[in-house]
Amino acid sequence: RRLAAAASPLRAQLGTPPGRVVLGGMGRLSPEKAFNHLIQAAGLLVTRGHDVELWIAGEGDHRPELERLIAGLHLQDRVRLLGFQADTVAFYHALDVFVLSSLREGLPNVVLESMAMGLPVVSTRVAGVPKLIEDGRNGLLCPLGNVEALAGVLGRLLTDGALRANLGAQARQTIEAGYTFRQRMDVERKIYDQVLGS
């Protein structure tokens, strides 16, 4: 079972007010991750009166641009670029929702990890993600590059704690059923066996 995010030491450390919903993204700060869209969506949510904060973990060349965007939208107290996080488990534990805003991906480990942690995930319909996430059952999907759609999907989750809990539980179940480390290794071994003709 997921530890209550509200009790997270990272939230205390960052001074997150009680009751605020924390969204999180993680990855290299590069254009294809579209963290700019995620920041813009967070801005829309704040202007619509949602008590929400966005944390982005990771480093990269796109950081100065993202910092300018945050300042331009006056979101310095709502959006935090946390840099590299060595303890990813503590990061996931502190979140209420994990968001993947990418325009290009494979099957991102961050989505598998978030789901394994029982976090509800919102993702763009990028690459292999729609094979893993069935929209409305074990996560929520939205179109690529559409800030308004992303804000809309997130807005639904922010106001519905029961939906967040249900999607998180289903996400965890999905990983347990088909994506445990041992199962992934078994699949890889079968592929190697076929390739090597044994």
Side-chain angles (χ1 to χ4, degrees):
R1 248 179 63 64
R2 219 174 109 63
L3 286 179
S8 142
L10 195 51
R11 283 189 181 222
Q13 195 186 313
L14 293 173
T16 303
R20 180 170 288 177
V21 176
V22 179
L23 311 174
M26 187 189 297
R28 210 175 58 236
L29 305 185
S30 56
E32 75 276 5
K33 300 290 184 191
F35 287 128
N36 56 329
H37 295 163
L38 184 48
I39 292 165
Q40 288 164 340
L44 288 176
L45 293 169
V46 170
T47 61
R48 288 169 190 173
H50 291 286
D51 188 15
V52 65
E53 200 166 298
L54 168 64
W55 300 353
I56 297 172
E59 278 301 347
D61 301 342
H62 211 44
R63 187 181 183 111
E65 211 167 306
L66 296 177
E67 284 172 345
R68 280 195 297 276
L69 176 63
I70 292 163
L73 294 171
H74 308 292
L75 292 172
Q76 296 94 324
D77 59 338
R78 295 298 186 127
V79 179
R80 300 165 186 269
L81 301 180
L82 300 183
F84 172 72
Q85 294 293 299
D87 188 349
T88 55
V89 170
F91 176 74
Y92 291 127
H93 265 315
L95 305 179
D96 294 296
V97 179
F98 184 84
V99 192
L100 185 88
S101 50
S102 298
L103 304 173
R104 284 198 307 280
E105 280 289 353
L107 178 54
N109 267 336
V110 287
V111 169
L112 293 169
E113 289 164 4
S114 304
M115 291 174 76
M117 296 283 290
L119 262 174
V121 175
V122 171
S123 175
T124 52
R125 292 180 179 277
V126 68
V129 173
K131 290 194 182 90
L132 174 68
I133 292 180
E134 192 186 319
D135 189 34
R137 189 185 71 79
N138 60 355
L140 295 175
L141 297 171
C142 62
L144 275 75
N146 186 329
V147 172
E148 184 55 59
L150 181 57
V153 170
L154 288 169
R156 249 179 84 194
L157 265 187
L158 292 182
T159 54
D160 194 340
L163 178 61
R164 289 202 302 272
N166 185 41
L167 292 175
Q170 291 297 324
R172 167 99 196 174
Q173 224 170 351
T174 300
I175 299 302
E176 285 175 352
Y179 287 88
T180 64
F181 183 73
R182 182 176 293 132
Q183 282 160 318
R184 288 169 73 189
M185 288 301 101
D186 285 347
V187 169
E188 284 183 26
R189 197 175 59 245
K190 280 178 194 148
I191 293 167
Y192 278 116
D193 287 348
Q194 283 169 355
V195 170
L196 300 172
S198 59

